[in-house]
Amino acid sequence: MNIQEPLQLLGGLSPQTFMRRHWEKKPLLIRQAIPGFRPILDRTELLDLAAMDDVESRLVVQAVPGKEKTWRMRHGPLPRKVLPPFKQPKWTALVQGVDLHDERIHALMNQFRFVPDARLDDLMISYATDGGGVGPHFDSYDVFLLQAHGRRRWRIGRQKDMSLVPDMPLKILANFEPEMEFVLEPGDMLYLPPRWAHDGIAEGECMTYSIGFRSPCKGEVAREVLQRMAEQAEDEAGEAIYRDPKQEALTHTAEVPQAMVDFAVDAMQAALRDPLALQRALGEYLTEPKPNVWFAGGAELPTGGVRLDRRTRMLYDAKHIFINGESFRAGGRDAQLMRTLADQRYLPAGEMARLSEDARDLVSDWCESGWLYADQ
Ligand code: SIN
Ligand code: CO
């Protein structure tokens, strides 16, 4: 992708300008981001996905008229019999990670690959009957809301008061103060930075595609990275044993000796000393497949080019290649070729032929695991 070229998808802005002006800063409404856009999955196909065990889905229903204003939520799988009738207004089914299940949806999500892959999370599709939505709320991640079918009225605002309605099964802002309002038609798209309050209400039957970006919190990154580093800690810290030749006789023998504390601090620092260990753990964490992803057994290494399976996560840094939670040291031409594979998500036959024997063996293992396959 030429990141300096204006894109219809971004309302005539180049990815570079969009990132500078809008990303994490201010919303952008793009009329006809994808002209003539039609839903990729029809209602039946989407709801079939929502009924599957390995697909994450939710049903949100607002009280029927006459009853108290309230919300109900149910986690999937959502067999058809748990869904209200299509004639009943104000309910919505949300299907997460549709890109993992459909190649065309994955291809649509790839249009947003001007943002680091480490941030790109998933494509969620919502189906709503008239008046349906998930209520006024805010998210802690960036999102592009692409209207796929019917119309949706979005009200958005910077919202200072983040207090929520108590005792609700989903996060509903208690005092939503919208500042702007737009009605989106198929093909229109709205970009929202994290923590912008929003409320999208279906006007008639409606489907919206949300391209979401993950923003892990510091605590989660610390836990995930440390967990992985802990597995290596013994090797990194070494085998030196604790010694205390200067220890004196004590009466308060239950007290932890300061020398033991110092030894532990030293052991921790030794385990964390190698910055590459941290980078490895981070890359492994960032490429960990989603919990509901299973790779079916793959095939032998093809003679031609290869393409990453849509569910494969592949990243790299200066010293490593990361793929589906594993890390490999790579340098020289092999590293260059692997990076091309990660960036393009395919490697043509000519480039494959330039891989060293070791690297080919690795790619062959990945093929057998079903992480990549012959590029047709
Ligand atoms: C929806 O599509 O109904 C919800 C999307 C969102 O508000 O993030
Ligand atoms: Co939202």
Side-chain angles (χ1 to χ4, degrees), residues 92 94 124 126 133-134 137 139 141 143 145 152 154 198 208 210:
T92 182
L94 305 116
M124 177 187 84
S126 66
V134 296
H137 67 284
D139 301 309
Y141 46 78
V143 66
L145 299 154
R152 171 161 251 150
W154 285 102
H198 52 288
T208 303
S210 300

Coordinates of all heavy atoms in Angstrom, one line a residue, residues 92 94 124 126 133-134 137 139 141 143 145 152 154 198 208 210, ligand 1:
T92 N -30.3 -6.7 19.0 CA -29.2 -6.8 18.1 C -28.3 -8.0 18.4 O -28.2 -8.4 19.6 CB -28.3 -5.5 18.1 OG1 -27.2 -5.6 17.2 CG2 -27.8 -5.2 19.5
L94 N -24.5 -9.5 17.9 CA -23.1 -9.1 17.5 C -22.2 -10.3 17.4 O -22.2 -11.1 18.3 CB -22.6 -8.1 18.6 CG -23.5 -6.9 18.9 CD1 -24.0 -7.0 20.3 CD2 -22.8 -5.6 18.7
M124 N -16.0 -7.1 13.7 CA -17.2 -7.6 14.3 C -18.4 -7.1 13.4 O -18.3 -6.1 12.8 CB -17.4 -6.9 15.7 CG -18.7 -7.3 16.4 SD -18.9 -6.3 17.9 CE -19.6 -4.8 17.3
S126 N -22.6 -6.5 13.4 CA -23.8 -6.5 14.2 C -25.0 -6.5 13.3 O -25.0 -5.9 12.2 CB -23.9 -5.3 15.1 OG -24.0 -4.1 14.3
G133 N -29.6 -1.5 19.1 CA -28.2 -1.0 19.3 C -27.8 -1.5 20.7 O -28.4 -2.3 21.3
V134 N -26.6 -1.0 21.1 CA -26.1 -1.5 22.4 C -26.0 -0.4 23.4 O -25.4 -0.5 24.5 CB -24.6 -2.2 22.2 CG1 -24.7 -3.4 21.4 CG2 -23.6 -1.2 21.7
H137 N -22.3 4.3 25.0 CA -21.2 3.7 25.7 C -19.9 4.2 25.2 O -19.9 5.0 24.2 CB -21.2 2.1 25.6 CG -20.9 1.7 24.2 ND1 -21.9 1.8 23.2 CD2 -19.8 1.2 23.6 CE1 -21.4 1.3 22.0 NE2 -20.1 1.0 22.3
D139 N -15.7 2.8 24.2 CA -14.8 1.7 24.1 C -13.4 2.2 24.4 O -13.1 3.4 24.2 CB -14.9 1.1 22.7 CG -16.3 0.6 22.3 OD1 -16.9 -0.1 23.1 OD2 -16.8 1.0 21.2
Y141 N -10.8 1.2 22.7 CA -10.0 1.0 21.5 C -10.5 1.8 20.3 O -11.6 2.3 20.4 CB -10.0 -0.5 21.1 CG -11.4 -1.2 21.1 CD1 -12.3 -0.9 20.1 CD2 -11.8 -1.9 22.2 CE1 -13.5 -1.5 20.1 CE2 -13.1 -2.5 22.2 CZ -13.9 -2.3 21.2 OH -15.2 -2.8 21.2
V143 N -11.9 2.4 16.6 CA -12.8 1.6 15.7 C -13.3 2.3 14.5 O -13.4 3.6 14.5 CB -14.1 1.1 16.6 CG1 -15.0 2.3 17.0 CG2 -14.9 0.1 15.9
L145 N -16.4 2.2 12.0 CA -17.8 1.7 11.9 C -18.3 1.8 10.5 O -18.6 2.9 10.1 CB -18.7 2.4 12.9 CG -18.3 2.3 14.4 CD1 -18.7 3.5 15.2 CD2 -18.8 1.0 15.0
R152 N -28.1 3.6 10.0 CA -27.9 3.7 11.5 C -27.7 5.2 11.8 O -26.8 5.8 11.2 CB -26.8 2.8 11.9 CG -26.3 3.0 13.3 CD -25.5 1.7 13.7 NE -26.3 1.0 14.7 CZ -26.3 -0.3 14.9 NH1 -25.5 -1.0 14.2 NH2 -27.0 -0.9 15.8
W154 N -25.9 7.6 14.3 CA -24.9 7.6 15.3 C -24.9 9.0 16.0 O -24.9 10.0 15.3 CB -23.5 7.4 14.7 CG -23.2 6.0 14.3 CD1 -23.3 5.4 13.1 CD2 -22.9 4.9 15.2 NE1 -23.0 4.1 13.1 CE2 -22.7 3.8 14.4 CE3 -22.7 4.8 16.6 CZ2 -22.4 2.5 15.0 CZ3 -22.4 3.6 17.1 CH2 -22.2 2.5 16.3
H198 N -20.5 6.9 22.2 CA -21.2 6.8 21.0 C -22.5 5.9 21.2 O -22.5 5.1 22.1 CB -20.4 6.2 19.8 CG -19.6 5.0 20.1 ND1 -18.5 5.0 21.0 CD2 -19.8 3.7 19.7 CE1 -18.1 3.7 21.1 NE2 -18.8 2.9 20.3
T208 N -23.9 -3.4 10.7 CA -22.7 -2.6 10.8 C -21.5 -3.4 11.0 O -21.5 -4.4 11.8 CB -22.9 -1.6 12.0 OG1 -24.1 -0.8 11.8 CG2 -21.7 -0.6 12.1
S210 N -17.7 -3.4 12.4 CA -16.7 -2.7 13.2 C -15.3 -3.2 13.1 O -15.1 -4.4 13.4 CB -17.1 -2.8 14.7 OG -18.3 -2.3 15.0
Ligands
SIN1 C1 -23.0 -2.0 17.0 O1 -22.5 -2.3 15.8 O2 -24.1 -2.1 17.3 C2 -22.0 -1.6 18.1 C3 -20.7 -1.1 17.6 C4 -20.1 -0.2 18.7 O3 -20.8 0.6 19.2 O4 -18.9 -0.3 18.9

